[in-house]
Amino acid sequence: MTRRSRKWMAFTAVTVCLVALWPLGALADGGGSDTNAFARALSHGPMVALGASYAFGLATSLTPCVYPMIAITVSVFGAKEAKSRLQGMMLSLVFVMGIVCLFTPMGVVSALTGKGFGAALGNPWIVAVIAAVFLSLAASLFGAFELALPQSLSNRLSTVGGGGYRGAFVLGLLCGVVAAPCVGPFLFGLLGWIATTRNVAVGSAAMALYGLGLGTLFFVVGTFAVNLPKAGAWMMGIKWVGGVCLAYMALAYVRDAVPAPAAPELMLAGKGYFVVGAVLLAIGLVLAGMHVAAERRKSPIAHLSRPIKLASIPPAVAGLFMAITWYQAAKGPDAAAAKLRWESSETVAVARAQSEHKPLLVDFGASWCAACKELEERTFPDPQVLAQVARFVPLHIDATDDDNQEVAKVRQKYHATEGLPVVLLFDNKGTEAVRFTEFVSPGRFAAALASVQ
């Protein structure tokens, strides 16, 4: 191996490592027990989730199916031949709007059809199907097969539209279809997350921002005539990272659906489990760096690219799963949570609040709701929260089963039918004072409790 090859392999390994460790970095920022990056982002509020959607789209534009198309596509709709920078910018903007118009309706449909999806996550067969889909998407990014249109149809679509604003818009609409082999896995993962949110506004906005992320480089090249770095082996690293993350998501769906027995919990309590996971992840990352280096033109280890890639996948997926699972188990619910005694009957809780002249805390949650879990793990057990909750009558409504008519009536009564979590605070006269519809930090929640009398 030449000195240049060794330097490139080291650089690639570090780059892939930083990208692949992003989920752990997000967890360190306080993520709860959840199944994917988007659910974790949503638990910190819609704005963070929407930012993650844009970043996901931008990452998709760096894949081998999209990146090489950028310069050619910009030339097709005429931005490079524009008479002024303003005209080039407008043509590029119209192209990006075409991409946005393709993806946004998908978010709306996914959110609407996901109205009953939350309860389905309690069904082991549904979880198994979801996990199988995510594993298939991961396999696609690893190169097992391609989610591709027939070549004849793909070639035909790539020439539709032509130059001008109309052509730019049509090309934007078709961009995601033509780039299906790489867009598909990322896209389906995002749509699956939107179905779990069951929030049309957030779902449509997330898909719109995904489209904006996908179109960003097209806009930059078309507006400023920028020459992008040449497509190369580094794009294989991006696909590898995407495949590892999707494989982790498949395992995480199963993990979060299956109650953990006592023995594994004891095992996860030790740091040895995390160390083993970290070592496996490091081995996978090093092998991934070697795989990317082998994909370079005239690489002396080109013949080892495929076996190295295959060898890198199991330790990377297992290591990422073990590290994140250990972290989540280590930061599980605090023992102080036992001090918070929830009422489960809405009738009993309201009667208590009225007879004792106390304010009422109503928490709507579900087993499939990532933000609800984080409230249970971080916010409700917090000492300052517990000190304030002592003045309240706490009521928890388990909304996991969408078909439960009694729960549905309570949700309608409190106007909590659109999404979860919903946390309501009523004063001692029965008047709603505060409403939260996302994860709220312990300090902010304690302050809200203190403001209600």
Side-chain angles (χ1 to χ4, degrees), residues 340-356:
L340 183 55
R341 303 297 183 183
W342 295 95
E343 291 284 358
S344 58
S345 168
E346 190 265 346
T347 304
V348 172
V350 172
R352 267 193 60 197
Q354 291 175 348
S355 63
E356 298 175 14

Side-chain angles (χ1 to χ4, degrees), residues 1-325:
M1 188 182 301
T2 65
R3 183 178 180 182
R4 185 179 179 184
S5 296
R6 288 196 297 269
K7 287 183 177 180
W8 174 256
M9 187 177 70
F11 170 77
T12 303
V14 172
T15 303
V16 172
C17 179
L18 290 174
V19 176
L21 284 175
W22 173 79
L24 285 175
L27 276 171
D29 191 41
S33 175
D34 52 64
T35 52
N36 57 65
F38 286 100
R40 181 168 56 254
L42 184 67
S43 71
H44 292 277
M47 296 307 295
V48 179
L50 297 181
S53 301
Y54 175 83
F56 216 29
L58 187 60
T60 306
S61 71
L62 298 174
T63 57
C65 310
V66 180
Y67 190 84
M69 294 171 47
I70 295 176
I72 298 173
T73 304
V74 168
S75 297
V76 170
F77 65 73
K80 284 194 172 182
E81 293 75 31
K83 297 179 181 179
S84 67
R85 177 167 293 182
L86 178 61
Q87 184 183 19
M89 180 183 72
M90 294 305 297
L91 283 168
S92 302
L93 184 60
V94 170
F95 172 82
V96 174
M97 288 302 100
I99 297 178
V100 172
C101 288
L102 169 69
F103 291 122
T104 302
M106 296 183 187
V108 175
V109 172
S110 185
L112 291 175
T113 55
K115 287 292 183 181
F117 190 66
L121 291 179
N123 187 317
W125 292 104
I126 298 296
V127 172
V129 170
I130 294 172
V133 169
F134 274 98
L135 285 175
S136 299
L137 296 175
S140 173
L141 286 179
F142 287 136
F145 60 91
E146 287 190 349
L147 300 172
L149 297 172
Q151 189 62 43
S152 58
L153 178 58
S154 180
N155 293 337
R156 190 171 183 180
L157 289 174
S158 64
T159 60
V160 173
Y165 294 107
R166 176 181 175 276
F169 184 79
V170 173
L171 275 175
L173 284 173
L174 297 175
C175 177
V177 180
V178 175
C182 290
V183 173
F186 292 99
L187 180 63
F188 293 150
L190 177 54
L191 290 174
W193 164 76
I194 291 173
T196 65
T197 70
R198 303 183 297 171
N199 188 314
V200 174
V202 172
S204 58
M207 290 305 299
L209 283 166
Y210 175 80
L212 288 174
L214 180 60
T216 294
L217 292 181
F218 289 93
F219 179 81
V220 171
V221 172
T223 301
F224 303 104
V226 173
N227 291 322
L228 296 175
K230 291 183 178 180
W234 57 270
M235 293 185 297
M236 302 304 295
I238 293 175
K239 289 187 69 175
W240 183 90
V241 170
V244 169
C245 291
L246 286 172
Y248 162 75
M249 289 159 60
L251 296 177
Y253 267 111
V254 176
R255 177 200 63 202
D256 293 348
V258 178
E265 287 184 1
L266 293 174
M267 176 182 65
L268 294 179
K271 292 185 178 180
Y273 187 84
F274 173 79
V275 172
V276 172
V279 170
L280 287 174
L281 180 58
I283 292 172
L285 291 170
V286 171
L287 292 173
M290 295 175 63
H291 158 61
V292 173
E295 286 292 323
R296 295 188 66 216
R297 184 178 300 178
K298 298 181 180 179
S299 170
I301 58 171
H303 61 290
L304 297 176
S305 176
R306 183 174 178 81
I308 290 176
K309 179 175 71 172
L310 293 175
S312 71
I313 295 170
V317 175
L320 185 64
F321 177 81
M322 291 173 68
I324 294 180
T325 301

